Amino acid sequence: QEAKDALTMIRRERITASSYAAYLKKHSAAIQSILASHLRTANNSDPFEIASALKELTAAKDVEALAAAHNAFNERLDAHLTMLVRLSPR
């Protein structure tokens, strides 16, 4: 369902602040579940404090704070994934 909703969102001509906030709120449980699964796979290693970024994301009170927290979450997750790929045996 998350993928279907994401495609619907990006196919719109214009994503409004309220639709962006509503999308993230609607899918926050899925984001939390995906992150928990990722961290379990990484032996609960969270050197970039992704879980902390997710807490900030879910606690954001306005769309500007939400966007900033979403960006921080994505950057930390990307850094962690990049680190894991570079450390993996080839």
Side-chain angles (χ1 to χ4, degrees), residues 4 9 12-13 19 30 38 46 54 72 79 82-84 87:
K4 182 180 175 184
M9 169 81 83
R12 293 182 182 171
E13 285 187 29
S19 65
H38 166 70
D46 190 8
L54 182 57
T82 300
M83 181 192 80
L84 293 174
L87 292 176

Side-chain angles (χ1 to χ4, degrees), residues 1-22:
Q1 182 63 44
E2 282 73 26
K4 182 180 175 184
D5 287 351
L7 283 173
T8 300
M9 169 81 83
I10 63 174
R11 286 182 176 150
R12 293 182 182 171
E13 285 187 29
R14 185 167 187 264
I15 298 171
T16 64
S18 62
S19 65
Y20 169 69

Side-chain angles (χ1 to χ4, degrees), residues 2-74:
E2 282 73 26
K4 182 180 175 184
D5 287 351
L7 283 173
T8 300
M9 169 81 83
I10 63 174
R11 286 182 176 150
R12 293 182 182 171
E13 285 187 29
R14 185 167 187 264
I15 298 171
T16 64
S18 62
S19 65
Y20 169 69
Y23 175 86
L24 286 178
K25 182 177 181 178
K26 178 179 178 182
H27 296 284
S28 65
I31 295 168
Q32 291 173 356
S33 176
I34 291 166
L35 178 61
S37 177
H38 166 70
L39 292 176
R40 279 192 306 275
T41 302
N43 297 318
N44 295 314
S45 170
D46 190 8
F48 297 97
E49 299 182 352
I50 310 164
S52 174
L54 182 57
K55 286 180 185 174
E56 292 177 23
L57 177 59
T58 58
K61 300 294 182 197
D62 58 58
V63 75
E64 290 83 10
L66 181 68
H70 190 199
N71 187 55
F73 171 79
N74 288 331

